[in-house]
C-alpha cells in the first residue's frame, strides 16, 4: 500500500481526522480544522477530540463553545484517564471563562490547572504554554506548591 492510499484510509478514521485537524489548527486553518474535528466526533466521541475542538473555538472567538465542549469532555472522561488531558481541559475552560468575564468560574478552573501543574502533570510543551499564559495574566502557577491562587 503506498503512502497516498494509506493517507486516504487514515482520513476515514477518528484518529485520522483528529490528526489532520490538529495539523490544520497549527497552521491557522481553523475552518478546515473544524470540519475534521467534527468528522472525528461523528465517528468517535472522545474527550481529547472534544477538548481540542473547544480549543479551536477559543481561537475562533467563541468561548461559549469552548466551555460546552470542555464540559462534555470532562463528563466523558473515564477513571484512569491521564491527568494530562484533564490539565488541558481545565486550562481551556479557565481561558474561556476569563474571556467571558466569569472570573469566579475562571478562578476555579485556574486553581485546578495550577494544582495539576504543581503535581507535575502535562507534557513539557503543554506545561510551557500553560505557565506562559498564567504568567501573562500575572498569576504564578506551577512552580510553587500552593498552585498560585
Amino acid at each position: 500500500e503506498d503512502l497516498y492510499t494509506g493517507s486516504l484510509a487514515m482520513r476515514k478514521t477518528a484518529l485520522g481526522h483528529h490528526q489532520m485537524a490538529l495539523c490544520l489548527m497549527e497552521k491557522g486553518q481553523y475552518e478546515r480544522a473544524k470540519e475534521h474535528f467534527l468528522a472525528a466526533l461523528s465517528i468517535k466521541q472522545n474527550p481529547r477530540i472534544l477538548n481540542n475542538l473547544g480549543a479551536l473555538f477559543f481561537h475562533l472567538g467563541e468561548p461559549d463553545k469552548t466551555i460546552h465542549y470542555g464540559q462534555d469532555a470532562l463528563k466523558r472522561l473515564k477513571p484512569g484517564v491521564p491527568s494530562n488531558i484533564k490539565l488541558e481541559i481545565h486550562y481551556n475552560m479557565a481561558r474561556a471563562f476569563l474571556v467571558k468575564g466569569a472570573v469566579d468560574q475562571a478562578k476555579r478552573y485556574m486553581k485546578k490547572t495550577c494544582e495539576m501543574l504543581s503535581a507535575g502533570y502535562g507534557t513539557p510543551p503543554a506545561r510551557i504554554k500553560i505557565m506562559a499564559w498564567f504568567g501573562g495574566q500575572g498569576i504564578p502557577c506551577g512552580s510553587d506548591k500552593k498552585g498560585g491562587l
Side-chain angles (χ1 to χ4, degrees):
E1 178 170 310
D2 65 25
L3 185 59
Y4 178 74
T5 306
S7 173
L8 290 176
M10 182 70 163
R11 286 187 60 190
K12 293 180 181 177
T13 68
L15 176 62
H17 282 292
H18 186 224
Q19 292 299 321
M20 178 65 77
L22 290 172
C23 290
L24 291 166
M25 192 169 151
E26 186 73 26
K27 291 181 168 196
Q29 297 181 22
Y30 299 133
E31 289 301 323
R32 287 187 61 211
K34 181 169 65 171
E35 292 172 18
H36 284 280
F37 279 131
L38 293 172
L41 285 176
S42 73
I43 298 168
K44 184 176 184 181
Q45 295 285 313
N46 175 292
R48 187 178 303 272
I49 298 169
L50 289 162
N51 177 58
N52 288 332
L53 179 58
L56 172 79
F57 279 114
F58 185 83
H59 288 289
L60 291 171
E62 299 185 51
D64 288 326
K65 288 185 179 180
T66 301
I67 292 165
H68 167 78
Y69 285 107
Q71 289 171 335
D72 196 5
L74 286 172
K75 285 182 207 166
R76 292 175 186 274
L77 286 175
K78 295 179 181 157
V81 169
S83 289
N84 292 349
I85 298 169
K86 291 178 196 171
L87 171 71
E88 292 193 27
I89 295 169
H90 281 87
Y91 162 67
N92 288 327
M93 298 284 284
R95 292 188 312 157
F97 278 117
L98 195 60
V99 165
K100 287 180 53 77
V103 177
D104 289 341
Q105 288 171 303
K107 282 185 177 181
R108 192 172 79 237
Y109 285 100
M110 287 177 183
K111 185 176 186 330
K112 186 66 176 167
T113 301
C114 285
E115 289 170 359
M116 286 187 271
L117 282 172
S118 293
Y121 293 109
T123 62
R127 291 179 61 79
I128 290 167
K129 172 183 73 177
I130 293 168
M131 286 190 283
W133 181 80
F134 273 99
Q137 303 299 314
I139 303 166
C141 180
S143 59
D144 61 22
K145 295 297 176 194
K146 295 178 187 169
L149 294 173

